Amino acid sequence: MAETTKLIHVSDLHLGKTLHGYGLEEDQRHMLGQIVSAIDREGPDGLIIAGDVYDKSVPREDAVTMFSEFLADVQSRCPVYMISGNHDSGRRLDYCDGILRRNGIHIAGSFKGRMDRIVLNDGHGELNLYLLPYVRPSAVRPFFPDSEIEGLDQALAAVLEASGVDPSARNVLVSHQFFIASGKLPDQCDSETSRAHVGGLDCMSAELLEPFDYVALGHIHNAQKVGRETVRYCGSPLKYSLSEAEREKSITIVELAGKGEVSVRTTPIKPLRDLAVLKGTLESVLEESEKRPELKDQYVGVVLTEHAYEPDKRLRAVFDRLLNITFEIEGRKSDFGEIDIDMVKRTDPKELFEEFYGKYTGKGLTDYQRRMLDKAMSEEGYR
């Protein structure tokens, strides 16, 4: 029996996700391989996956296959403790839970009125590991008809009491929610589809987490503590938005000894293809691409600070995975994003052309250009 318990904490895999239209299967397989390598190096007593296994509640077939192969690799090395996130379907994750549990894969997909409790043992005695899937008050109320549950704080308090959490015991919680300490919001990024705000209905108070020696959180994609060092978002293992370009991704390793004796550290995950944001004039960005040939195969977002003609054509010639082009000229911002076909059909062609011209040049049409546009569109039968 080991003297202490060592756990690896990951979350927000978002398997099946695309990035501005680019499939990420190769990148995600590489990322999962690095998690397996970390397990081989560290020899943990378990792997925690704190929600958002998939990017959609009905995941793509290739994403399901990828995760199935990953679980098979991990299960031969250590147990797995997993919960659903807001992107997951709890019921789908629960599929074959009884069979998987007998093989060391513990899944809490759907909320059942109390938290699943798994008891681990080490040289310091029992360690309680609680699994709390992503919940909203509406999912909790039916189990507590005699309690007033208005928000998530009351919901979590009711769940903790019903689950019989003993503050004097050694406890670990796995959860996928927004937690706030001392009114301070966690550091968020653009890849999170829902955003926390102070006083928001999705937020929980970190004060409720006092009974737990360590809290393994998912939901926020930037790794960080919430109040104390032992309440942690491990962050997503890949960069899923341009706002994360400067972030270093990692997995979290936690070791628990006696009550309150917890050490936390991280180990980096290196992506198959990094993500970068380049800002400047078109020529300066092209010069940067020559100095950094590794950018050709990376995911690249470009912010142009000048008017430019057909920038996408020139940039796509040097970047294989150009995500988007944004203009920042004299405080004005515009970007080349995804096209809403229904919106295009509803919009006057002249307005569409003016918007298109403005995005490419950063300028509006002159009176003369508008007259020429009216004449051309009239001759072509647009009126």
Side-chain angles (χ1 to χ4, degrees), residues 284-297:
S284 71
V285 169
L286 294 172
E287 289 174 6
E288 185 74 7
S289 72
E290 293 179 0
K291 296 175 185 176
R292 298 168 59 188
E294 71 275 8
L295 288 171
K296 182 172 178 59
D297 190 47

Side-chain angles (χ1 to χ4, degrees), residues 137-349:
S138 57
V140 176
R141 289 189 194 106
F143 295 96
F144 304 95
D146 297 327
S147 301
E148 285 192 18
I149 297 177
E150 298 296 330
L152 277 168
D153 278 3
Q154 294 103 321
L156 180 57
V159 171
L160 295 183
E161 182 178 358
S163 301
V165 178
D166 178 4
S168 66
R170 293 192 302 154
N171 302 311
V172 172
L173 173 66
V174 184
S175 176
H176 189 96
Q177 309 280 165
F178 281 122
F179 279 97
I180 291 180
S182 303
K184 183 180 179 181
L185 284 170
D187 182 16
Q188 300 168 77
C189 60
D190 293 342
S191 59
E192 290 140 18
T193 55
S194 58
R195 311 276 288 175
H197 60 278
V198 173
L201 295 176
D202 287 338
C203 296
M204 286 183 176
S205 171
E207 294 179 3
L208 293 168
L209 303 176
E210 285 302 317
F212 299 97
D213 296 67
Y214 181 75
V215 182
L217 296 175
H219 205 10
I220 303 296
H221 290 190
N222 290 331
Q224 60 198 286
K225 67 178 181 178
V226 181
R228 56 185 166 100
E229 292 290 338
T230 52
V231 178
R232 299 193 67 84
Y233 288 106
C234 61
S236 61
L238 284 181
K239 300 174 184 179
Y240 287 131
S241 70
L242 291 169
S243 65
E244 298 164 76
E246 301 302 319
R247 300 280 181 171
E248 292 298 324
K249 295 297 183 173
S250 63
I251 61 177
T252 300
I253 301 162
V254 54
E255 293 189 60
L256 299 105
K259 176 66 178 175
E261 297 177 2
V262 183
S263 65
V264 180
R265 57 189 169 88
T266 61
T267 186
I269 284 187
K270 297 300 180 183
L272 178 64
R273 301 178 184 91
D274 207 351
L275 186 153
V277 176
L278 304 179
K279 184 175 182 178
T281 65
L282 179 57
E283 293 305 320
S284 71
V285 169
L286 294 172
E287 289 174 6
E288 185 74 7
S289 72
E290 293 179 0
K291 296 175 185 176
R292 298 168 59 188
E294 71 275 8
L295 288 171
K296 182 172 178 59
D297 190 47
Q298 293 182 2
Y299 299 101
V300 177
V302 173
V303 181
L304 292 179
T305 58
E306 64 167 2
H307 309 307
Y309 176 69
E310 294 189 338
D312 59 329
K313 186 175 181 180
R314 297 184 67 185
L315 291 170
R316 290 187 190 282
V318 296
F319 301 123
D320 291 344
R321 293 172 174 80
L322 181 66
L323 299 182
N324 71 347
I325 304 168
T326 301
F327 287 94
E328 288 190 11
I329 303 170
E330 299 175 354
R332 295 175 57 193
K333 293 185 179 181
S334 63
D335 67 90
F336 296 96
E338 296 181 2
I339 297 174
D340 184 339
I341 298 298
D342 291 334
M343 181 277 293
V344 170
K345 290 179 179 178
R346 294 193 304 267
T347 305
D348 181 79

Side-chain angles (χ1 to χ4, degrees), residues 21-65:
Y22 291 98
L24 298 175
E25 183 177 356
E26 284 186 322
D27 305 80
Q28 292 182 328
R29 284 190 178 277
H30 179 78
M31 170 265 291
L32 294 175
Q34 290 197 61
I35 295 175
V36 172
S37 296
I39 291 171
D40 288 338
R41 288 194 310 271
E42 297 289 342
D45 299 292
L47 171 69
I48 290 172
I49 305 176
D52 279 359
V53 174
Y54 298 113
D55 192 55
K56 297 183 182 299
S57 59
V58 182
R60 292 168 33 171
E61 291 180 4
D62 57 351
V64 174
T65 299

